[in-house]
Amino acid sequence: MVFQMSRLAARVSLSKSVGFISGTENRWPSHLNFISRLAHRSFHALCSEGRGSASIKALPSRGVLRKAGRWEKVSTASKSLHWQSGGAVKPLRSGMVVLGAVGVSAALLASLRTSTLHAMSARPGLNLDSENSDWKEAKNKLCSMDKEKRREMYRVDFIPLEKIPVWSPSGDSCKPQYQVNEELNKKISLFTGDITKLEIDSIANAANKTLLGGGGVDGAIHRGAGPLLKKECATLNSCETGEAKITGAYGLPAKYVIHTVGPIVHDSVGEREEQALRNCYYNCLHTATKNHLRTVAFPCISTGVYGYPPEQAVEVALRTVREYLEQNHEKLDRVIFCVFLKSDKELYETMLSAYFPRGSPPKSKL
Ligand code: AR6
C-alpha cells in the first residue's frame, strides 16, 4: 500500500508541476504544501476506509495516451485518480497508521525532486487540461511549435494526413454531374471515423449558435480539445446559421477548428435550409483558405440532431466543395469528408462519383 501511495505521489506531484514550469523555477514551497495536503488526505483516507486500506482507482483514460507522449500520460492519469473511501468509519490500529503515514511521507518527499526535474525538462510550460490556463498564450505557443513538439501535447490519438488515402471509386457509382478533373480528384478523401483524430490544418465543427459546445461531433471536438477551446469560443459572440468562425484546436491534432452552425430541419428541406447548409460548407472553405490552411475535414453537418436528411445533405456538401475547388484549387491540398455512420459512408461512396468522376481507364491494346 505504501508502494501504491508513493506511485500516486509521483504521479500527482509530476502532473501538478505542469502548470508550474512556465514561470519561475523555485516552486518548492507550493509543492511542499501540496504534498503535505496530500499526505494529510491520505492519512484521512486510511483512517476512514472500512477495510483499513485506501484504494486508488484510475478511470479509463481517453485512449489518448498511446501516441501522444508520456507527459500527457502522466497528467491524465493523475487527473483521473479518485479516492474511494468505503462505508462506515472504523478506527485502524494505531501502529499501522503511524507506520503508514511515515512511509507515505518519506515516499512522497523522495519522489518530489525527481518528478519535478523530470517535468521541467519534458514539458514546454503548457497545460491544456486546465481551464485556468491562458488560451491566447496556449494558442500562440502551439502555433509556434514544430509538429514533433505539438504531438506531445495531443490529448487524443492522431491520424496523419499521409494515412488518409485520396478517394478512389469502389462499388456503386452515379452518373457524373461534372466533368472529369483529375487534379481536383486528387484533393478529395472519404474518411470513416472520428474527426477529432485527424492531424490536418483544420476540421469543421457542426456547432450550435452559442459555440459553447454540445453533443455529437461538437461534444467530441470540445472534449478532445480541452477546456481552452470553450474559453476561446466564449470570446466569439456566438455564430449565426451558415456562418463560420475559427479557433485554435488546443489538445486536438488539427491546428484549427472552424465552427459552423447548420440549419435545423423541422419538416422538410426548403430553399432556406438548403442555402444555409451551402453557406456552412462555403464559409468553412473560405475561412480555411483565408487563413492559409490547406487541408480541411468536414463532418456531415446538420444531419444529426439538426435533422437534415443525409441523402439531401450529401448533395449540397459535394456540390459546394466541387464548385469551390474549381475556383480555388491552388489554395487547398485536401478536402476530407469525414463520415461516422455506415449509412453515410455508403451514401458518400455512391455520390462522390457524380461530383468527382474518374476518367475511364485506358483501353487495352490487345
Ligand atoms: N466525428 C465525425 N463525425 C461525427 C462524430 C465524430 N466524432 N460524432 C458524430 N458525428 P451532430 P448537427 C457525426 O448531431 O446535426 C450538437 O449538440 C454524426 O454521426 O453532431 O449539425 C451541436 O452543439 C452526424 O453524421 O450535428 C448542435 O446543437 C454528424 O456528425 C447540434 O448538435 C452531425 O451530427 C448540431 O447538430
Side-chain angles (χ1 to χ4, degrees), residues 107-213:
L108 289 172
L109 289 170
S111 70
L112 174 66
R113 180 163 211 118
T114 331
S115 60
T116 305
L117 292 175
H118 183 171
M120 284 178 167
S121 63
R123 182 96 164 183
L126 198 52
N127 186 355
L128 300 179
D129 294 331
S130 167
E131 59 185 28
N132 296 324
S133 299
D134 180 333
W135 66 264
K136 273 190 199 154
E137 190 190 340
K139 192 175 171 182
N140 289 338
K141 280 190 175 160
L142 286 166
C143 283
S144 65
M145 282 179 195
D146 62 28
K147 195 188 270 184
E148 286 312 308
K149 276 247 149 42
R150 266 179 24 83
R151 279 183 177 173
E152 289 175 23
M153 311 301 301
Y154 295 167
R155 300 172 83 245
V156 296
D157 286 341
F158 69 93
I159 299 167
L161 182 63
E162 306 78 70
K163 291 270 164 67
I164 305 169
V166 167
W167 176 73
S168 65
S170 65
D172 288 350
S173 56
C174 274
K175 191 165 160 268
Q177 296 192 24
Y178 287 83
Q179 289 191 338
V180 174
N181 185 329
E182 294 298 353
E183 281 312 303
L184 299 193
N185 291 347
K186 282 186 213 155
K187 296 176 188 277
I188 297 297
S189 292
L190 177 60
F191 172 81
T192 307
D194 185 352
I195 201 168
T196 65
K197 307 271 195 284
L198 304 182
E199 190 187 49
I200 55 175
D201 288 348
S202 60
I203 58 172
N205 179 19
N208 58 55
K209 287 184 179 181
T210 70
L211 297 184
L212 298 179

Side-chain angles (χ1 to χ4, degrees), residues 191-198 204-223 260-264 277 298-308 310 338-341 343-344:
F191 172 81
T192 307
D194 185 352
I195 201 168
T196 65
K197 307 271 195 284
L198 304 182
N205 179 19
N208 58 55
K209 287 184 179 181
T210 70
L211 297 184
L212 298 179
V217 67
D218 192 12
I221 287 173
H222 275 267
R223 273 193 305 281
T260 189
V261 182
I264 301 174
L277 190 60
F298 284 104
C300 304
I301 300 165
S302 271
T303 62
V305 298
Y306 277 7
Y308 207 112
C338 177
V339 292
F340 206 58
L341 306 174
S343 53
D344 285 330

